Amino acid sequence: MAEEQKHRTGSGHTHDSHTEGASQLQTLTPADVFSVVRDLIHDWWMILTAGLAAVMVVWLFLQMIYVPTYTSSATLIISAKSSTGGAVSDLSVSSTTAETLAEVLNSSLLKKYVMEDLGVDELPDIEASLVSGTNLMTLQVTSESPESAFRVLRSILDNYDQVTSHILSNVVLSELESASVPTSPSNSVNTRNNLFYAFWVGAGAMALLLAVFSIQRDTVKTEKDVSRKLDTRLYMSVYHENKYKTLKSRLQRSKKSLLSTGASTSFLFSETFKKLRTRLMYQSEKTGAKVLLVASVGENEGKSTVAANIALALAQKMERVVLIDGDLRRPAVHKMFSKPVPPSGELSAFLSGEIPVDDLLQQDRDSGLNLILGSKNCTNSTELVASDAMRALVEVLRSRSDFVVIDSPPMAIMADAEVLAEYADMALLVVRQNMTLAPQINDAIDILEGSHAQLLGCVFNDVKTRIFSGNRKWSYGYYGYGHGYGYGYGRYKRGYGAYYGKQEEKK
């Protein structure tokens, strides 16, 4: 009954979050605007690609439909043969004969003479128009060939009198501006401007689409969203810490772990994990819990970074703190601490019964933190973490250590985290700002709340309060899980107390 009630609560929360997401366009907060702008900056390549694609489409379209045409023109003076050249007389003649003359110049009879003169079967466009209020007429011929336009116009001027001699015998046409071969298209297109506008229209459309998608995407963007969208409480916020402090390191993009003990780590970042340590130690003293599982829904949410820094902060106050890299598919903790893992020190080798526990632990000399690491990709990771050897190892570590932190694989990719949650006393779910959908996070919360571990809440990770706040990604590396699992268990040796017996003798 309780599980059904929890499922209904999660489903209702999901429905509410979608309803709220639909109305976000009307209730944008500054944090939402910052989030949208950061998304647009992060996806700049998509905006650029859309702009360039629009340029290519418009350019191809212009190449397909654009046919250059050339216009040859001449300006003619209309006057009477008996005219003395007076302006009033010429203007009077032009006004009474202009329409008739225009029809003659466009007549089929004149075109027949021209075609016979040029030896062609058809003529391009011919246009004759009177300049208003004057005795001037403009004659234009437009063709796809500049030479053709000029030759047709010259032929018209040479042959028009064969038609007008019978109709307008008292009218003569004189060339005020002679025809010439056109050197540039009369229908030229400003390709540069068109391509410029196409780029900004394409880029703007993509930016608008991404902005709408960012607004309506049901992720956790602010600390208020944690309580509004998720079925758990906010345990701690970890604000963005830039890994690249110099321009050179930013350009080189060299892989660098983000540890609170680093010399370049900010005071705020270190203090955040000290506060988190205080809360965990209080919880441990109150309930006796010692084993903490750090989980996340998806990859690249900074889970391994959070787990490592929690362990480092605890090691500053406690003598025996152990960090287990429980991600047997894509182990990353050894890279963060720059620890090579010999074949005799692999966690997977111990779980397969190939090595004793005495060889399993390594120690970080700078912090005193004890590490259980792996470096190989194990396709049968779920079977290994579900083995009796893993359960027994955690139990011995619980009895011999002050605190144990387990870094698990992403819950959306592997079932390993669900298995490890049965060994842990408490759990934290790392939620990176504006990354994983709220319904998926709530599904993971339901799984953790139904496990043996007590879910303390979520660590809201990589929180950015400004538009420009450095690199987006925190977590080390990436996941590249394959499909299929191997089966078969090897024999393993027991001797869990050997290492800790030595530690107690030293004390």
Side-chain angles (χ1 to χ4, degrees):
M1 186 68 181
E3 291 182 357
E4 293 179 358
Q5 179 66 31
K6 181 172 62 175
H7 178 71
R8 288 196 296 270
T9 303
S11 302
H13 210 296
T14 301
H15 174 76
D16 292 342
S17 63
H18 280 296
T19 304
E20 292 167 357
S23 62
Q24 280 184 340
L25 287 172
Q26 300 176 346
T27 58
L28 287 179
T29 65
D32 293 325
V33 175
F34 287 170
S35 178
V36 170
V37 175
R38 284 195 299 267
D39 286 344
L40 294 180
I41 294 174
H42 178 260
D43 297 326
W44 63 269
W45 62 272
M46 296 181 63
I47 298 174
L48 178 62
T49 302
L52 295 177
V55 169
M56 182 176 295
V57 169
V58 171
W59 184 82
L60 291 175
F61 181 73
L62 292 176
Q63 294 298 313
M64 292 174 61
I65 68 167
Y66 174 63
V67 178
T69 58
Y70 299 86
T71 301
S72 182
S73 63
T75 303
L76 309 175
I77 302 175
I78 305 173
S79 59
K81 291 182 179 180
S82 59
S83 172
T84 59
V88 176
S89 174
D90 291 342
L91 188 57
S92 175
V93 172
S94 66
S95 62
T96 57
T97 61
E99 293 183 3
T100 304
L101 185 57
E103 292 178 1
V104 169
L105 294 175
N106 283 301
S107 66
S108 59
L109 181 59
L110 179 59
K111 291 180 179 179
K112 179 180 178 182
Y113 284 122
V114 173
M115 286 188 292
E116 291 177 353
D117 180 40
L118 299 176
V120 296
D121 296 330
E122 60 180 358
L123 295 176
D125 294 335
I126 302 172
E127 181 181 356
S129 59
L130 180 68
V131 180
S132 178
T134 68
N135 62 334
L136 302 178
M137 175 174 283
T138 301
L139 182 61
Q140 295 180 331
V141 178
T142 302
S143 173
E144 294 182 8
S145 169
E147 293 81 6
S148 174
F150 172 73
R151 290 175 57 209
V152 170
L153 181 57
R154 282 297 350 151
S155 182
I156 291 174
L157 295 176
D158 294 339
N159 292 282
Y160 81 92
D161 57 347
Q162 297 186 45
V163 179
T164 58
S165 61
H166 303 290
I167 302 174
L168 299 170
S169 58
N170 64 329
V171 175
V172 64
L173 296 179
S174 304
E175 293 185 36
L176 177 63
E177 184 178 343
S178 299
S180 61
V181 179
T183 57
S184 60
S186 56
N187 64 338
S188 60
V189 177
N190 194 330
T191 304
R192 182 177 180 180
N193 283 350
N194 287 333
L195 296 182
F196 177 81
Y197 294 139
F199 174 82
W200 286 111
V201 169
M206 177 58 71
L208 180 61
L209 181 64
L210 291 174
V212 172
F213 178 76
S214 176
I215 293 171
Q216 293 186 338
R217 191 165 176 260
D218 193 15
T219 57
V220 182
K221 299 180 177 67
T222 63
E223 293 176 341
K224 291 183 179 179
D225 283 349
V226 174
S227 58
R228 186 164 58 92
K229 294 184 177 183
L230 303 186
D231 296 332
T232 191
R233 69 187 182 110
L234 175 63
Y235 199 75
M236 180 67 71
S237 292
V238 179
Y239 292 93
H240 176 83
E241 177 77 4
N242 196 348
K243 292 194 294 186
Y244 305 104
K245 304 296 184 180
T246 63
L247 179 60
K248 181 179 179 180
S249 62
R250 181 178 294 275
L251 293 175
Q252 292 177 344
R253 292 282 175 174
S254 56
K255 289 186 177 181
K256 181 181 178 182
S257 58
L258 192 60
L259 300 178
S260 59
T261 54
S264 60
T265 306
S266 70
F267 175 78
L268 175 61
F269 187 77
S270 300
E271 284 299 306
T272 298
F273 284 97
K274 289 180 180 179
K275 292 179 181 178
L276 187 53
R277 174 190 64 194
T278 301
R279 295 183 182 183
L280 292 173
M281 291 177 65
Y282 173 76
Q283 183 72 20
S284 177
E285 292 175 0
K286 184 174 66 172
T287 62
K290 287 187 177 182
V291 181
L292 171 69
L293 177 73
V294 181
S296 69
V297 177
E299 57 185 348
N300 291 331
E301 296 204 56
K303 165 187 54 58
S304 296
T305 298
V306 171
N309 283 290
I310 288 175
L312 285 172
L314 290 168
Q316 293 175 350
K317 287 289 186 179
M318 298 177 175
E319 185 175 351
R320 295 178 297 183
V321 178
V322 181
L323 172 61
I324 304 176
D325 190 347
D327 188 352
L328 300 181
R329 282 297 185 99
R330 196 73 180 183
V333 175
H334 72 286
K335 297 179 182 178
M336 300 180 68
F337 287 89
S338 300
K339 288 285 186 181
V341 184
S344 60
E346 292 277 350
L347 174 60
S348 60
F350 166 76
L351 297 178
S352 299
E354 299 173 8
I355 61 172
V357 71
D358 301 359
D359 301 332
L360 191 59
L361 275 82
Q362 296 189 48
Q363 190 174 62
D364 180 45
R365 294 182 179 180
D366 296 332
S367 63
L369 176 65
N370 298 307
L371 303 170
I372 296 180
L373 306 174
S375 60
K376 297 181 179 179
N377 185 345
C378 301
T379 56
N380 62 334
S381 62
T382 305
E383 287 75 19
L384 290 177
V385 298
S387 64
D388 293 337
M390 186 68 187
R391 181 184 293 274
L393 174 63
V394 174
E395 289 301 319
V396 170
L397 293 176
R398 177 187 283 110
S399 63
R400 299 288 184 174
S401 303
D402 298 320
F403 218 99
V404 179
V405 180
I406 304 176
D407 175 30
S408 72
M411 298 181 66
I413 299 177
M414 300 297 300
D416 298 22
E418 299 178 40
V419 178
L420 293 171
E422 297 300 325
Y423 307 150
D425 302 321
M426 47 190 173
L428 285 174
L429 184 64
V430 178
V431 177
R432 185 175 176 181
Q433 183 185 34
N434 192 28
M435 188 167 187
T436 306
L437 297 179
Q440 296 178 354
I441 300 174
N442 282 326
D443 290 342
I445 290 172
D446 290 341
I447 292 173
L448 291 175
E449 287 184 340
S451 68
H452 176 270
Q454 177 190 0
L455 179 61
L456 303 178
C458 79
V459 175
F460 193 33
N461 193 27
D462 198 18
V463 181
K464 300 175 183 176
T465 57
R466 297 177 297 171
I467 294 177
F468 298 100
S469 53
N471 188 27
R472 282 171 58 96
K473 295 188 176 180
W474 254 23
S475 60
Y476 194 97
Y478 58 95
Y479 290 87
Y481 294 114
H483 298 281
Y485 299 91
Y487 294 92
Y489 298 91
R491 299 181 61 186
Y492 56 89
K493 299 179 181 179
R494 298 184 182 273
Y496 303 110
Y499 173 82
Y500 291 101
K502 295 178 182 179
Q503 294 295 318
E504 289 180 356
E505 289 177 3
K506 291 180 180 180
K507 291 179 63 179

